Coordinates of all heavy atoms in Angstrom, one line a residue:
D1 N -3.2 -19.4 0.9 CA -4.4 -19.5 0.0 C -5.3 -20.6 0.5 O -6.6 -20.4 0.4 CB -3.9 -20.0 -1.4 CG -3.3 -18.8 -2.2 OD1 -3.5 -17.7 -1.8 OD2 -2.6 -19.1 -3.2
V2 N -4.8 -21.6 1.1 CA -5.7 -22.7 1.7 C -6.5 -22.1 2.8 O -7.7 -22.3 3.0 CB -4.9 -23.9 2.2 CG1 -5.7 -24.9 2.9 CG2 -4.1 -24.5 1.0
L3 N -5.9 -21.3 3.7 CA -6.6 -20.7 4.8 C -7.6 -19.7 4.3 O -8.8 -19.7 4.8 CB -5.6 -19.9 5.7 CG -6.3 -19.2 6.9 CD1 -6.9 -20.2 7.9 CD2 -5.3 -18.3 7.6
L4 N -7.3 -18.8 3.4 CA -8.3 -17.8 2.9 C -9.4 -18.4 2.2 O -10.6 -18.0 2.4 CB -7.6 -16.8 2.0 CG -6.6 -15.9 2.7 CD1 -5.8 -15.1 1.7 CD2 -7.3 -15.0 3.7
S5 N -9.2 -19.5 1.5 CA -10.3 -20.2 0.8 C -11.2 -20.9 1.9 O -12.4 -20.9 1.8 CB -9.8 -21.3 -0.1 OG -10.8 -22.1 -0.7
L6 N -10.6 -21.4 3.0 CA -11.4 -22.0 4.0 C -12.2 -20.9 4.7 O -13.4 -21.2 5.0 CB -10.4 -22.6 5.0 CG -11.0 -23.2 6.4 CD1 -11.9 -24.3 6.1 CD2 -9.8 -23.6 7.3
M7 N -11.7 -19.8 5.0 CA -12.3 -18.8 5.8 C -13.4 -18.0 5.0 O -14.5 -17.6 5.5 CB -11.4 -17.7 6.4 CG -10.4 -18.4 7.4 SD -9.3 -17.2 8.1 CE -10.4 -16.1 9.1
Y8 N -13.2 -17.8 3.7 CA -14.0 -16.9 3.0 C -14.7 -17.5 1.7 O -15.7 -16.9 1.2 CB -13.2 -15.6 2.5 CG -12.7 -14.9 3.7 CD1 -11.4 -14.9 4.0 CD2 -13.6 -14.1 4.4 CE1 -10.9 -14.2 5.1 CE2 -13.1 -13.3 5.5 CZ -11.8 -13.4 5.8 OH -11.3 -12.7 6.9
G9 N -14.3 -18.7 1.4 CA -15.0 -19.4 0.3 C -15.1 -18.7 -1.0 O -14.1 -18.1 -1.4
D10 N -16.3 -18.7 -1.6 CA -16.5 -18.2 -3.0 C -16.8 -16.7 -2.9 O -17.9 -16.3 -3.3 CB -17.5 -19.0 -3.8 CG -17.6 -18.6 -5.2 OD1 -16.6 -18.1 -5.7 OD2 -18.6 -18.9 -5.8
Q11 N -15.9 -15.9 -2.4 CA -16.0 -14.5 -2.4 C -14.5 -14.0 -2.6 O -13.6 -14.7 -2.5 CB -16.6 -13.9 -1.2 CG -16.1 -14.3 0.1 CD -16.8 -13.7 1.3 OE1 -17.4 -12.6 1.2 NE2 -16.9 -14.5 2.4
P12 N -14.3 -12.7 -3.0 CA -13.0 -12.2 -3.3 C -11.9 -12.5 -2.3 O -10.8 -13.0 -2.7 CB -13.2 -10.7 -3.5 CG -14.6 -10.6 -4.0 CD -15.3 -11.6 -3.2
F13 N -12.1 -12.4 -1.0 CA -11.1 -12.7 -0.1 C -10.8 -14.2 0.0 O -9.7 -14.6 0.6 CB -11.4 -12.1 1.3 CG -11.0 -10.7 1.4 CD1 -11.9 -9.7 1.1 CD2 -9.7 -10.3 1.8 CE1 -11.6 -8.4 1.2 CE2 -9.4 -8.9 1.9 CZ -10.3 -8.0 1.6
G14 N -11.6 -15.0 -0.5 CA -11.4 -16.4 -0.5 C -10.6 -16.9 -1.8 O -10.3 -18.1 -1.9
R15 N -10.3 -16.0 -2.7 CA -9.6 -16.3 -3.9 C -8.2 -15.7 -3.8 O -8.0 -14.7 -3.2 CB -10.3 -15.9 -5.1 CG -11.7 -16.5 -5.3 CD -12.4 -16.2 -6.6 NE -12.9 -14.8 -6.7 CZ -14.2 -14.5 -6.4 NH1 -15.0 -15.5 -6.0 NH2 -14.6 -13.3 -6.5
S16 N -7.3 -16.3 -4.5 CA -5.9 -15.8 -4.6 C -5.9 -14.4 -5.3 O -6.6 -14.2 -6.3 CB -5.0 -16.7 -5.3 OG -3.7 -16.2 -5.5
I17 N -5.1 -13.5 -4.8 CA -4.9 -12.2 -5.5 C -4.5 -12.4 -6.9 O -4.9 -11.6 -7.8 CB -3.8 -11.3 -4.7 CG1 -4.4 -10.9 -3.4 CG2 -3.4 -10.1 -5.6 CD1 -3.4 -10.1 -2.6
I18 N -3.7 -13.4 -7.2 CA -3.1 -13.6 -8.5 C -4.1 -14.3 -9.5 O -3.9 -14.3 -10.7 CB -1.8 -14.5 -8.4 CG1 -0.9 -14.3 -9.6 CG2 -2.1 -15.9 -8.1 CD1 0.4 -15.0 -9.5
G19 N -5.2 -14.8 -8.9 CA -6.2 -15.4 -9.7 C -5.9 -16.9 -9.9 O -5.1 -17.5 -9.3
S20 N -6.7 -17.5 -10.8 CA -6.5 -18.9 -11.1 C -6.0 -19.0 -12.6 O -6.1 -18.1 -13.4 CB -7.8 -19.7 -11.0 OG -8.7 -19.3 -12.0
K21 N -5.5 -20.2 -12.9 CA -5.0 -20.3 -14.3 C -6.1 -20.1 -15.3 O -6.0 -19.5 -16.4 CB -4.4 -21.7 -14.5 CG -3.1 -21.8 -13.7 CD -2.5 -23.2 -13.9 CE -1.2 -23.3 -13.1 NZ -0.5 -24.6 -13.2
E22 N -7.3 -20.6 -14.9 CA -8.5 -20.5 -15.8 C -8.9 -19.0 -16.0 O -9.2 -18.6 -17.1 CB -9.6 -21.3 -15.3 CG -9.4 -22.8 -15.3 CD -8.5 -23.3 -14.2 OE1 -8.3 -22.6 -13.2 OE2 -7.9 -24.4 -14.3
S23 N -9.0 -18.3 -14.9 CA -9.5 -16.9 -14.9 C -8.5 -16.1 -15.7 O -8.9 -15.2 -16.5 CB -9.7 -16.3 -13.6 OG -8.6 -16.3 -12.8
V24 N -7.2 -16.2 -15.5 CA -6.2 -15.5 -16.2 C -6.2 -15.8 -17.6 O -6.1 -14.9 -18.5 CB -4.8 -15.7 -15.5 CG1 -3.6 -15.2 -16.4 CG2 -4.7 -15.1 -14.2
Q25 N -6.3 -17.0 -18.0 CA -6.3 -17.4 -19.5 C -7.5 -16.8 -20.2 O -7.4 -16.4 -21.3 CB -6.4 -18.9 -19.6 CG -5.0 -19.6 -19.3 CD -4.0 -19.5 -20.4 OE1 -4.0 -18.6 -21.2 NE2 -3.1 -20.4 -20.4
A26 N -8.6 -16.5 -19.5 CA -9.8 -16.0 -20.1 C -9.8 -14.5 -20.3 O -10.7 -14.0 -20.9 CB -11.0 -16.5 -19.3
L27 N -8.9 -13.8 -19.6 CA -8.9 -12.3 -19.7 C -8.5 -11.8 -21.1 O -7.6 -12.3 -21.7 CB -8.0 -11.7 -18.6 CG -8.5 -12.0 -17.2 CD1 -7.4 -11.5 -16.2 CD2 -9.8 -11.2 -16.9
L28 N -9.2 -10.8 -21.5 CA -9.0 -10.2 -22.9 C -8.7 -8.7 -22.7 O -9.0 -8.1 -21.7 CB -10.2 -10.4 -23.7 CG -10.6 -11.9 -24.0 CD1 -12.0 -11.9 -24.7 CD2 -9.6 -12.7 -24.7
R29 N -8.2 -8.1 -23.8 CA -7.8 -6.7 -23.8 C -8.9 -5.8 -23.3 O -8.7 -4.9 -22.5 CB -7.2 -6.3 -25.1 CG -6.7 -4.9 -25.1 CD -5.9 -4.6 -26.4 NE -5.3 -3.3 -26.4 CZ -5.9 -2.1 -26.9 NH1 -7.1 -2.2 -27.4 NH2 -5.2 -1.0 -26.8
P30 N -10.1 -6.0 -23.8 CA -11.2 -5.1 -23.3 C -11.4 -5.2 -21.8 O -11.9 -4.2 -21.3 CB -12.4 -5.6 -24.1 CG -11.9 -6.2 -25.3 CD -10.6 -6.9 -24.9
D31 N -11.1 -6.3 -21.2 CA -11.3 -6.4 -19.7 C -10.3 -5.4 -19.1 O -10.7 -4.7 -18.1 CB -10.9 -7.8 -19.2 CG -11.9 -8.8 -19.8 OD1 -13.1 -8.5 -19.8 OD2 -11.4 -9.9 -20.2
F32 N -9.1 -5.3 -19.6 CA -8.1 -4.3 -19.0 C -8.5 -2.9 -19.2 O -8.4 -2.1 -18.3 CB -6.7 -4.6 -19.6 CG -6.1 -5.9 -19.3 CD1 -6.4 -7.0 -20.1 CD2 -5.2 -6.1 -18.2 CE1 -5.9 -8.3 -19.8 CE2 -4.7 -7.3 -17.9 CZ -5.0 -8.4 -18.7
L33 N -9.0 -2.6 -20.4 CA -9.3 -1.2 -20.7 C -10.5 -0.7 -19.9 O -10.5 0.4 -19.4 CB -9.7 -1.1 -22.2 CG -8.5 -1.4 -23.2 CD1 -9.0 -1.4 -24.6 CD2 -7.4 -0.4 -23.0
S34 N -11.6 -1.6 -19.7 CA -12.7 -1.1 -19.0 C -12.4 -1.1 -17.5 O -12.9 -0.2 -16.8 CB -13.9 -2.1 -19.2 OG -13.6 -3.4 -18.8
Y35 N -11.6 -2.0 -17.0 CA -11.3 -2.0 -15.5 C -10.4 -0.8 -15.2 O -10.7 -0.1 -14.2 CB -10.5 -3.3 -15.2 CG -10.4 -3.6 -13.8 CD1 -11.5 -4.2 -13.1 CD2 -9.2 -3.5 -13.0 CE1 -11.5 -4.6 -11.8 CE2 -9.2 -3.9 -11.7 CZ -10.3 -4.5 -11.1 OH -10.2 -4.8 -9.8
K36 N -9.5 -0.4 -16.1 CA -8.7 0.8 -15.8 C -9.5 2.0 -15.9 O -9.4 2.9 -15.1 CB -7.5 0.8 -16.9 CG -6.5 1.9 -16.6 CD -5.3 1.7 -17.5 CE -4.3 2.8 -17.2 NZ -4.7 4.1 -17.6
K37 N -10.4 2.1 -16.9 CA -11.3 3.3 -17.0 C -12.2 3.4 -15.8 O -12.4 4.6 -15.3 CB -12.2 3.1 -18.2 CG -13.1 4.3 -18.5 CD -13.9 4.1 -19.7 CE -14.9 5.2 -19.9 NZ -15.8 5.0 -21.1
D38 N -12.6 2.4 -15.2 CA -13.5 2.4 -14.1 C -12.8 2.8 -12.8 O -13.3 3.6 -12.0 CB -14.2 1.1 -13.8 CG -15.3 0.8 -14.9 OD1 -15.7 1.7 -15.6 OD2 -15.6 -0.4 -15.0
F39 N -11.6 2.3 -12.6 CA -10.9 2.4 -11.3 C -9.7 3.4 -11.2 O -9.4 3.9 -10.2 CB -10.6 1.0 -10.8 CG -11.7 0.2 -10.5 CD1 -12.0 -0.9 -11.2 CD2 -12.6 0.5 -9.4 CE1 -13.0 -1.8 -11.0 CE2 -13.7 -0.3 -9.2 CZ -13.9 -1.5 -9.9
Y40 N -9.0 3.5 -12.3 CA -7.8 4.3 -12.3 C -8.1 5.8 -12.6 O -7.9 6.3 -13.7 CB -6.8 3.8 -13.4 CG -6.0 2.6 -12.9 CD1 -6.6 1.5 -12.3 CD2 -4.6 2.5 -13.0 CE1 -5.9 0.4 -11.8 CE2 -3.9 1.5 -12.5 CZ -4.6 0.4 -12.0 OH -3.8 -0.7 -11.5
T41 N -8.9 6.4 -11.7 CA -9.3 7.7 -11.7 C -8.7 8.6 -10.7 O -8.1 8.1 -9.7 CB -10.9 7.8 -11.6 OG1 -11.2 7.3 -10.2 CG2 -11.6 6.9 -12.6
A42 N -8.8 9.9 -10.9 CA -8.2 10.8 -9.9 C -8.7 10.7 -8.5 O -8.0 10.7 -7.5 CB -8.4 12.3 -10.4
A43 N -10.1 10.5 -8.4 CA -10.7 10.4 -7.1 C -10.3 9.1 -6.4 O -10.4 9.0 -5.1 CB -12.2 10.5 -7.2
N44 N -9.8 8.1 -7.1 CA -9.4 6.9 -6.6 C -7.9 6.7 -6.4 O -7.4 5.6 -6.2 CB -10.0 5.7 -7.4 CG -10.2 4.5 -6.6 OD1 -10.5 4.5 -5.4 ND2 -10.0 3.3 -7.3
T45 N -7.1 7.8 -6.7 CA -5.7 7.8 -6.7 C -5.1 8.7 -5.7 O -5.5 9.8 -5.4 CB -5.2 8.3 -8.1 OG1 -5.7 7.4 -9.1 CG2 -3.7 8.2 -8.2
V46 N -4.0 8.1 -5.1 CA -3.1 8.9 -4.1 C -1.7 8.9 -4.6 O -1.1 7.8 -5.0 CB -3.2 8.2 -2.7 CG1 -2.2 8.9 -1.8 CG2 -4.6 8.3 -2.2

């Protein structure tokens, strides 16, 4: 995590896959429903 933060900074590859304690605590049920609707589609599935 230290290396990826160093290399990529404030962009997705610079953040941990698991997120931060603050970001995880802030997630709500509508976030899951909209994210799944947007990405868990047939064209995006193998």
